[in-house]
Amino acid sequence: MQTRHLCILGSTGSIGESTLDVVRRHPDKFIIHALSANASVDKLYLQCQEFSPRVVVLVNEQAAEQLKQKLKANGQTDITVLSGSSALVDIAQSEQSDTVMAAIVGASGLLPTLAAVEQGKRVLLANKEALVTSGQIFIDAVKRCGAELLPIDSEHNAIFQCLPLSSQEQIGACHLADNGVSKVLLTGSGGPFRSTPLDELNDVTPEQACAHPNWDMGQKISVDSATMMNKGLEFIEAKWLFDVSADDIQVVLHPQSTIHSMVQYKDGSVLAQMGNPDMRTPIAHALAFPHRIDAGVEPLDFFNTPSFEFQQPDYHRYPNLRLAINACQQGQAACTALNAANEVAVDGFLHKGIKFNDIFKINETSVKKFVSERVTSISDVLSLDKTVREYAKSLVDNLVSIKN
């Protein structure tokens, strides 16, 4: 395989660190051109020492200045340190890299990811919000610019691996029905509260919500897993990645997280991608595609693997999942509003003391208010995103004031 020159957007998060672990195992196959983080000076400094990127970005200006001083003191004056959100776009579209890992959490990853797409690069999409917030606009850019889009979410990567080659080569325009596919089966563990009594959910703590039984993830995505909003966002992402309708996607609860997702064919066959729950597997798959490389992940031990369970999702337990599926059917404004409101609501739960069940209330109220907005361009997406965030923040602030 050819040597890949990488830009990792969000290198200090869990996906970014897993990506670097795979790269560490294959120094002959990957060269790190650029790394980015929000404000994690110490982590990024250590990554600079090990991988010697040409450029690094810290969105926070003060953090960038601190990193400059640390690198200078260590004699690493050949690394350019930039700051600000616009610098993320600059490194994403730089001609010095051919592959971009889009691992920035949330809607803030949209513009740099789109910048990489517009340069026709191989884009490893771990930022599901880019597709959720901009859908058809994003996919149209992929087609127009000849970018190669490869999914990193374990579920979407699993579906991708189970598709025929002709569909893999046309992400965003897969024509699954023409290739014998009847349904996409999106699996989810059910999170840490799968068996928690419903009347106890409102009083769960952020620490409990972040204690995922199978995956090691950041706080925001862990809470999304607990509410199953993460699966809802993945549902919307699957619609755009695989060019299917909401009726062609089925969510299946699979608590063991061994089967990462499945594809059902018209002849009755169901193909499943399996493995230990470790994000290095889909990352290594996408980094090396169409080749296979060692990801550092132990293979499944079938003699000690727990028996498989499958359940239908309970929408009384997971109202956010139903809300996301409905948004997928309602159109782009609903999806953009849902994502923006959810980011604000989850932050309110993690840091401001609103209740777990308040996340759904804020999301539902926000979607209802903005579902009819017109979204036909990236400027429309960004404008609606900003407006919804302000509205959702007012809902959070009101809940906090009532509590106090």
Side-chain angles (χ1 to χ4, degrees):
M1 59 173 283
Q2 71 180 83
T3 300
R4 290 271 169 191
H5 295 256
L6 303 181
C7 166
I8 303 178
L9 301 171
S11 66
T12 61
S14 60
I15 296 295
E17 290 184 327
S18 292
T19 302
L20 289 173
D21 186 71
V22 175
V23 168
R24 184 180 291 119
R25 298 167 189 276
H26 304 279
D28 58 322
K29 294 179 173 64
F30 305 105
I31 295 172
I32 300 297
H33 167 68
L35 300 173
S36 85
N38 182 45
S40 300
V41 175
D42 293 339
K43 277 189 178 182
L44 195 54
Y45 173 70
L46 292 175
Q47 292 175 355
C48 287
Q49 287 185 304
E50 180 176 2
F51 296 99
S52 300
R54 293 185 181 181
V55 185
V56 295
V57 173
L58 278 160
V59 176
N60 182 284
E61 188 174 344
Q62 290 181 325
E65 187 58 37
Q66 291 175 31
L67 181 62
K68 283 182 184 179
Q69 297 306 318
K70 285 175 72 74
L71 290 172
K72 182 178 179 180
N74 195 48
Q76 290 179 280
T77 56
D78 56 337
I79 298 176
T80 301
V81 180
L82 304 175
S83 65
S85 298
S86 61
L88 295 175
V89 172
D90 292 339
I91 61 171
Q93 64 188 9
S94 168
E95 295 180 355
Q96 300 304 311
S97 64
D98 52 53
T99 303
V100 173
M101 169 60 79
I104 296 175
V105 176
S108 58
L110 171 59
L111 290 182
T113 304
L114 191 60
V117 164
E118 289 174 341
Q119 292 302 310
K121 298 189 180 190
R122 169 175 282 194
V123 178
L124 313 184
L125 190 65
N127 172 275
K128 64 177 65 64
E129 292 85 358
L131 270 177
V132 171
T133 57
S134 64
Q136 190 68 60
I137 301 165
F138 189 94
I139 290 299
D140 286 347
V142 170
K143 296 174 185 176
R144 183 178 68 253
C145 301
E148 183 181 15
L149 194 63
L150 295 172
I152 296 299
D153 271 351
S154 60
E155 296 82 359
H156 302 97
N157 183 266
I159 292 165
F160 179 90
Q161 292 194 50
C162 294
L163 292 177
L165 178 62
S166 56
S167 293
Q168 290 180 338
E169 292 175 340
Q170 299 183 73
I171 288 297
C174 295
H175 308 297
L176 295 188
D178 295 339
N179 288 305
V181 175
S182 59
K183 194 174 288 288
V184 167
L185 303 173
L186 193 65
T187 62
S189 70
F193 304 136
R194 184 173 55 87
S195 58
T196 301
L198 293 179
D199 59 3
E200 295 180 11
L201 286 178
N202 201 44
D203 295 319
V204 299
T205 66
E207 291 73 24
Q208 290 172 311
C210 290
H212 195 282
N214 301 330
W215 296 92
D216 180 16
M217 306 179 291
Q219 281 192 318
K220 196 270 181 180
I221 192 172
S222 294
V223 175
D224 281 350
S225 180
T227 65
M228 281 203 79
M229 175 58 81
N230 193 46
K231 203 57 50 185
L233 298 179
E234 288 171 3
F235 189 102
I236 298 168
E237 184 182 10
K239 165 187 166 59
W240 294 112
L241 282 173
F242 306 118
D243 187 28
V244 293
S245 71
D247 291 338
D248 298 323
I249 308 169
Q250 182 177 347
V251 176
V252 179
L253 291 192
H254 169 51
Q256 292 76 30
S257 296
T258 305
I259 296 176
H260 298 143
S261 274
M262 300 171 278
V263 173
Q264 179 178 306
Y265 284 82
K266 294 178 181 178
D267 62 6
S269 299
V270 176
L271 300 189
Q273 189 270 336
M274 303 165 59
N276 286 313
D278 191 315
M279 285 305 300
R280 290 176 297 175
T281 295
I283 289 168
H285 172 265
L287 279 172
F289 184 79
H291 305 282
R292 297 277 182 170
I293 59 175
D294 174 33
V297 180
E298 290 295 319
L300 274 179
D301 178 355
F302 284 97
F303 301 110
N304 290 295
T305 297
S307 298
F308 296 160
E309 297 176 66
F310 303 101
Q311 303 165 9
Q312 291 186 341
D314 176 0
Y315 296 119
H316 295 290
R317 180 176 298 279
Y318 304 115
N320 280 287
L321 175 59
R322 169 54 70 188
L323 185 64
I325 293 172
N326 289 342
C328 185
Q329 297 167 324
Q330 290 169 321
Q332 190 57 64
C335 296
T336 303
L338 177 68
N339 181 76
N342 184 65
E343 288 189 19
V344 173
V346 170
D347 182 73
F349 172 66
L350 286 170
H351 302 115
K352 296 185 178 179
I354 69 170
K355 295 289 189 177
F356 183 75
N357 289 347
D358 289 335
I359 296 173
F360 169 70
K361 296 173 185 175
I362 291 167
N363 291 341
E364 182 184 41
T365 303
S366 299
V367 171
K368 284 181 177 179
K369 183 172 179 62
F370 296 101
V371 66
S372 299
E373 293 293 316
R374 179 177 169 83
V375 181
T376 60
S377 67
I378 288 298
S379 61
D380 290 341
V381 170
L382 297 176
S383 176
L384 180 57
D385 179 85
K386 181 175 183 292
T387 301
V388 176
R389 285 174 190 276
E390 292 172 350
Y391 178 73
K393 185 178 182 301
S394 72
L395 297 178
V396 170
D397 291 344
N398 185 55
L399 288 170
V400 172
S401 66
I402 292 173
K403 177 184 174 183
N404 295 334

